[in-house]
């Protein structure tokens, strides 16, 4: 299956501009309703202070479908892309939010809402 690269359907500002934000997401379907999701994150990472420590995929009701933990700052790699395998997204879910978390402030940036490329 060809990966589907998504751009924002909508974005919802929920915090300050120095909070991590997801710039793009790619969904590669590996089985019906199962995806490898790659997220490109921009963050102001300051080692020893704060950094983007995770990103998650959730449905629009807030149910978390998958979380990618980021174990260290990416100060010298901006923006950066990381993947998460085996994310189950029910067929009835047409859009999801992909959101990045700051190690100090939590989810405070801009969530990316994207269409799920179910095939």
């Amino acid at each position: 299956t060809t990966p589907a690269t998504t751009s924002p359907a909508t974005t919802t500002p929920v915090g300050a501009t120095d909070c991590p934000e997801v710039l793009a997401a790619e969904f590669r379907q590996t089985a019906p309703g199962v995806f490898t999701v790659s997220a490109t994150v921009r963050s102001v990472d300051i080692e020893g202070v704060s950094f983007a420590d995770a990103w998650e995929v959730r449905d629009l009701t807030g149910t978390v479908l998958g979380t990618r933990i980021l174990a260290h700052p990416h100060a010298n790699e901006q923006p950066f892309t990381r993947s998460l395998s085996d994310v189950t997204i029910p067929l009835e879910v047409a859009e999801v939010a992909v959101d990045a978390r700051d190690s100090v402030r939590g989810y405070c940036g801009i969530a990316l809402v994207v269409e799920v490329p179910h095939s």
Side-chain angles (χ1 to χ4, degrees), residues 8 10 14 19 23 27 29 32 59 62 65 70 73 75 87 103 106 115 119:
T10 59
V14 292
C19 291
L23 302 176
F27 293 74
Q29 190 165 4
D59 69 19
L65 305 171
L70 304 167
V87 178
S103 62
E115 187 175 325
S119 53

Side-chain angles (χ1 to χ4, degrees), residues 27-54:
F27 293 74
R28 183 181 308 264
Q29 190 165 4
T30 57
V34 181
F35 297 85
T36 294
V37 180
S38 298
T40 300
V41 177
R42 181 213 54 88
S43 63
V44 180
D45 285 1
I46 304 168
E47 193 158 350
V49 178
S50 72
F51 64 98
D53 68 348

Side-chain angles (χ1 to χ4, degrees), residues 10 18 23 31 34 47 49 51 53 60 63 65 74 76 79 81 85-86 92 94 96-98 100 103 105 112 116:
T10 59
D18 61 344
L23 302 176
V34 181
E47 193 158 350
V49 178
F51 64 98
D53 68 348
L60 299 186
T63 300
L65 305 171
H74 294 85
N76 296 321
T81 303
S85 300
D86 299 322
E92 64 273 11
V96 295
V98 185
S103 62
R105 293 168 285 194
L112 183 67
V116 179

